[in-house]
Amino acid sequence: MASKGARNDPAWGHSEEVEVPGEGAKKGYKYLKCNYCSKVVKGEVKRMKEHLAGSRKDVAPCLNVPDIVKEEMKQYLKAYQEQKFAKQHNFEENVGYGSYHMSNSIDNVMGANSSPSVSTKGVRGPIDHYMEIPLDDDQGTIAVEKMTPGKAKEHRNRVCLDIGRCFYENGMPFNIASSPAFVNMVRSIGNYGRDLKPPSAHELGTWILKEEVKTTTTFVDDIKATWKQIGVSLLSDGWSDIRNKSLINYLANNQYGTVFLKTVDASDCIKNAHKLFELLDGVIEEIGEDIVIQVITDNASAYKAAGTLLMEKRKQLYWTPCAAHCIDLMLEKIGGLPQNKNALLKAKKVSNFIHNHQWVLSLARKFAKKNLLRPAATRFATAFLTLESMYELKQPLQQMFVSTEWSNCAWAKKSDGIAVKKIVMDEVYFWPSVVYSMKTTRPLVHVLRLVDGEKEPAMTYIYGAMDKCKEKIAKIFDGDVGSYKEIWDIIDEKWENQMHRDLHAATYFLNPRYRWSPDVS
């Protein structure tokens, strides 16, 4: 049915909208009723034009329509058909002339000046490169010379150019090319051959989508079938949307995969421990109490209280705070130390100044030959990664601020530019504080990468990784307790009060890498 915004169609001037009630529980429909014969025409507005024009296409003709209206509808339908054919013709023309692959085939077989009349029917596999290509004309066949490695490379290059153009014209991210689904798609197209008719937008939104939903459902069901044997971890992931709603995603995870369960709007209870407990408890009830081994949330006080309530009610499960969030809180507190805070504030000022002025950013890229990492607002760890990035570019940045280009630019005479140059050229306070910050945080950032990645199950390594982290920090300061004690105290406080759980200790003890190590205690 046409929307209100599309009611400038001529058929609306000769019909009216009527609502047809549904049968039983079925939803009703809105159709068009002809003003001349009162016939209710189901479907889209184009069928009403067919009815008025008397074309007898999918609908009976109107016997009472005035001749002038009938002729008008015929002209509209004719124009629509011509436009449709023209659009299809243009599309096919663009496909033909815009294809690197087809131009290569034509050049090889017919010559560069020949018209593109070669048939593309049939399958062409690797063996076909050594065969003759049949033509759909009176010339019979044309022998194709043997495909040499050089020509095979050129042939592939042209196919890749066509694939690249599809990415560029449609704004597709390049990492799609690393997707197994993309590789499978390309292989399937190659196996089918040149006569493949691509799926239409309508097919992609109908039967293809339905089949993929079936496949995905089967895949999810296979994962769920493992839940009773090995259990799951219930993940509670809080986030805010563009309207600043506080939403919580609930997911179930085990070694066979992660299954999304549902999203809940928790804007009215995100800081209410009892409400959060009720939400988590309800999800556990849906999954099955005997299946859930642990519940993982962030470390906010409301979640910590909700986790305590859960363990009191359901004795067989554990509440575990998110390790990545906990380590980020450690980094945040370490960043609050005077020596680190000073370095971070100045580094942020330099980074923001460079990124907020396009000309300065361009000049920095010219000297550095790479981008300066910009800190993200949501993760405190990125602030320390920014310090590392800035330290790596220390020499190029200093060269930039003493260059002729900088001296002659307008920013060199402004207060912001003068202040930022002073920071970058400061070898007495700024750069030593950057080195200190890197020393005190680098081991923790490495642990964060471990728990935030997917290379190996972090639960079995977190206990040992935190011990090694503290040892590395002590070694960096040559065992001087006075230099690293403040850092250790911050780590121990978060570890003992939030992150350290019996599950961490158990998996540490049972992990063969640590279990049979002479250092295990």
Coordinates of all heavy atoms in Angstrom, one line a residue, residues 293-294 311 315-321 459-460 462-463 495-496 498-510:
I293 N 26.7 -21.1 35.4 CA 27.8 -21.3 36.3 C 28.2 -20.0 37.0 O 28.5 -20.0 38.1 CB 29.0 -22.0 35.6 CG1 28.6 -23.3 35.0 CG2 30.2 -22.1 36.5 CD1 29.6 -24.0 34.1
Q294 N 28.3 -19.0 36.1 CA 28.7 -17.7 36.7 C 28.0 -16.6 35.9 O 27.5 -16.7 34.8 CB 30.2 -17.5 36.5 CG 30.7 -17.3 35.1 CD 32.2 -16.9 35.1 OE1 32.7 -16.3 36.0 NE2 32.9 -17.2 34.0
M311 N 24.2 -14.6 44.6 CA 24.9 -15.8 45.2 C 24.2 -16.2 46.5 O 24.3 -17.4 46.9 CB 26.3 -15.4 45.4 CG 27.1 -15.3 44.2 SD 28.9 -15.2 44.4 CE 29.1 -13.6 45.2
K315 N 22.9 -20.7 45.3 CA 24.2 -21.1 45.9 C 25.2 -21.7 45.0 O 26.4 -21.7 45.3 CB 23.9 -22.1 47.1 CG 22.9 -21.6 48.1 CD 23.5 -20.4 48.9 CE 22.5 -20.0 50.0 NZ 23.0 -18.7 50.7
Q316 N 24.8 -22.2 43.8 CA 25.7 -22.9 43.0 C 26.4 -22.1 41.9 O 27.2 -22.5 41.2 CB 24.9 -24.1 42.3 CG 24.1 -23.7 41.0 CD 22.9 -23.0 41.4 OE1 22.5 -22.8 42.5 NE2 22.1 -22.6 40.3
L317 N 26.0 -20.8 41.8 CA 26.6 -19.9 40.8 C 27.5 -18.9 41.5 O 27.4 -18.6 42.7 CB 25.6 -19.3 39.9 CG 24.5 -18.3 40.4 CD1 25.1 -16.9 40.7 CD2 23.4 -18.2 39.4
Y318 N 28.4 -18.3 40.7 CA 29.3 -17.3 41.1 C 29.0 -15.9 40.4 O 28.7 -15.9 39.2 CB 30.8 -17.6 40.8 CG 31.3 -18.8 41.6 CD1 31.1 -20.1 41.1 CD2 31.9 -18.6 42.8 CE1 31.6 -21.2 41.8 CE2 32.4 -19.7 43.5 CZ 32.3 -21.0 43.0 OH 32.7 -22.1 43.7
W319 N 29.1 -14.8 41.1 CA 29.2 -13.5 40.4 C 30.6 -13.1 40.2 O 31.4 -13.2 41.2 CB 28.5 -12.5 41.3 CG 28.7 -11.1 40.7 CD1 28.1 -10.5 39.6 CD2 29.6 -10.1 41.2 NE1 28.6 -9.3 39.4 CE2 29.5 -9.0 40.4 CE3 30.5 -10.0 42.3 CZ2 30.3 -7.8 40.6 CZ3 31.3 -8.9 42.5 CH2 31.1 -7.8 41.6
T320 N 30.9 -12.8 39.0 CA 32.3 -12.4 38.7 C 32.3 -11.0 38.0 O 31.6 -10.8 37.0 CB 32.9 -13.4 37.7 OG1 32.8 -14.7 38.2 CG2 34.4 -13.1 37.5
P321 N 33.1 -10.1 38.5 CA 33.1 -8.7 37.8 C 33.9 -8.8 36.6 O 34.8 -9.7 36.4 CB 33.8 -7.9 38.9 CG 34.7 -8.8 39.7 CD 33.9 -10.1 39.7
M459 N 40.0 -16.5 31.6 CA 39.8 -16.9 33.0 C 40.9 -17.8 33.5 O 41.3 -17.7 34.7 CB 38.5 -17.7 33.0 CG 38.1 -18.3 34.4 SD 37.8 -17.0 35.6 CE 36.1 -16.5 35.2
T460 N 41.5 -18.6 32.7 CA 42.5 -19.5 33.1 C 43.9 -18.9 33.3 O 44.8 -19.5 33.8 CB 42.7 -20.7 32.2 OG1 42.9 -20.2 30.8 CG2 41.4 -21.5 32.1
I462 N 44.2 -15.1 34.1 CA 44.1 -13.8 34.7 C 44.9 -13.8 36.0 O 45.6 -12.8 36.3 CB 42.7 -13.4 34.9 CG1 42.6 -12.0 35.5 CG2 41.9 -14.3 35.8 CD1 43.2 -10.9 34.6
Y463 N 44.8 -14.9 36.9 CA 45.4 -14.9 38.2 C 47.0 -14.9 38.0 O 47.6 -14.0 38.6 CB 45.0 -16.2 38.9 CG 45.4 -16.2 40.4 CD1 44.3 -16.2 41.3 CD2 46.7 -16.3 40.8 CE1 44.6 -16.2 42.7 CE2 47.0 -16.4 42.2 CZ 45.9 -16.3 43.1 OH 46.2 -16.3 44.4
W495 N 42.2 -5.7 43.1 CA 42.2 -7.2 42.9 C 41.5 -7.8 44.1 O 40.7 -8.7 43.9 CB 43.6 -7.6 42.8 CG 43.8 -9.1 42.7 CD1 44.2 -9.9 43.8 CD2 43.6 -10.0 41.6 NE1 44.3 -11.2 43.3 CE2 43.8 -11.3 42.0 CE3 43.1 -9.8 40.3 CZ2 43.7 -12.4 41.2 CZ3 43.0 -10.9 39.5 CH2 43.3 -12.1 39.9
E496 N 41.9 -7.5 45.3 CA 41.3 -8.1 46.5 C 39.8 -7.8 46.7 O 39.0 -8.7 47.0 CB 42.1 -7.7 47.7 CG 43.5 -8.2 47.7 CD 43.6 -9.7 47.7 OE1 42.7 -10.4 48.2 OE2 44.7 -10.2 47.3
Q498 N 37.6 -6.6 44.4 CA 36.6 -6.7 43.3 C 36.9 -7.9 42.4 O 36.1 -8.8 42.2 CB 36.7 -5.4 42.4 CG 36.1 -4.2 43.1 CD 36.0 -3.0 42.1 OE1 36.8 -2.9 41.2 NE2 35.0 -2.2 42.3
M499 N 38.2 -8.0 41.9 CA 38.4 -9.0 40.8 C 38.7 -10.4 41.3 O 38.4 -11.4 40.7 CB 39.5 -8.5 39.9 CG 39.5 -9.2 38.5 SD 40.3 -8.3 37.2 CE 42.0 -8.4 37.8
H500 N 39.4 -10.5 42.4 CA 39.9 -11.8 42.8 C 38.7 -12.6 43.3 O 38.0 -12.3 44.2 CB 40.9 -11.7 44.0 CG 41.4 -13.0 44.4 ND1 41.8 -13.2 45.7 CD2 41.6 -14.1 43.8 CE1 42.2 -14.5 45.9 NE2 42.1 -15.1 44.7
R501 N 38.5 -13.8 42.6 CA 37.4 -14.7 43.0 C 37.9 -16.1 43.0 O 39.0 -16.4 42.5 CB 36.3 -14.6 41.9 CG 35.5 -13.3 41.9 CD 34.6 -13.2 43.2 NE 33.9 -12.0 43.3 CZ 34.3 -10.9 43.9 NH1 35.5 -10.8 44.4 NH2 33.5 -9.8 44.0
D502 N 37.2 -17.0 43.7 CA 37.6 -18.4 43.8 C 37.8 -19.0 42.5 O 38.7 -19.9 42.3 CB 36.6 -19.1 44.7 CG 36.5 -18.7 46.1 OD1 37.5 -18.0 46.5 OD2 35.5 -19.0 46.8
L503 N 36.9 -18.6 41.5 CA 37.1 -19.2 40.2 C 38.4 -18.9 39.6 O 39.0 -19.7 38.9 CB 36.0 -18.7 39.2 CG 34.6 -19.4 39.4 CD1 33.6 -18.7 38.4 CD2 34.7 -20.8 39.1
H504 N 38.9 -17.7 39.8 CA 40.2 -17.3 39.2 C 41.3 -18.2 39.8 O 42.2 -18.7 39.1 CB 40.5 -15.8 39.5 CG 39.6 -14.9 38.8 ND1 39.1 -13.7 39.4 CD2 39.1 -14.9 37.6 CE1 38.4 -13.1 38.6 NE2 38.3 -13.8 37.4
A505 N 41.2 -18.4 41.1 CA 42.3 -19.2 41.8 C 42.2 -20.6 41.4 O 43.2 -21.3 41.1 CB 42.1 -19.1 43.3
A506 N 41.0 -21.2 41.2 CA 40.8 -22.6 40.8 C 41.3 -22.8 39.4 O 42.1 -23.8 39.1 CB 39.3 -23.0 40.9
T507 N 41.0 -21.9 38.4 CA 41.5 -22.1 37.1 C 43.0 -21.9 37.0 O 43.6 -22.5 36.1 CB 40.7 -21.1 36.1 OG1 40.9 -19.8 36.6 CG2 39.3 -21.4 36.0
Y508 N 43.5 -21.0 37.8 CA 45.0 -20.8 37.8 C 45.7 -22.1 38.3 O 46.6 -22.5 37.7 CB 45.3 -19.7 38.8 CG 46.8 -19.6 39.2 CD1 47.7 -19.1 38.3 CD2 47.2 -19.9 40.5 CE1 49.1 -19.0 38.7 CE2 48.5 -19.8 40.9 CZ 49.4 -19.3 40.0 OH 50.8 -19.2 40.3
F509 N 45.1 -22.7 39.3 CA 45.7 -24.0 39.8 C 45.6 -25.1 38.8 O 46.5 -25.9 38.7 CB 45.1 -24.3 41.2 CG 45.6 -25.6 41.8 CD1 46.8 -25.5 42.5 CD2 45.0 -26.8 41.7 CE1 47.4 -26.6 43.1 CE2 45.5 -27.9 42.3 CZ 46.7 -27.8 43.0
L510 N 44.5 -25.1 38.1 CA 44.2 -26.3 37.2 C 44.9 -26.1 35.8 O 44.9 -27.0 35.0 CB 42.7 -26.5 37.0 CG 42.0 -27.0 38.3 CD1 40.5 -27.0 38.0 CD2 42.5 -28.3 38.7

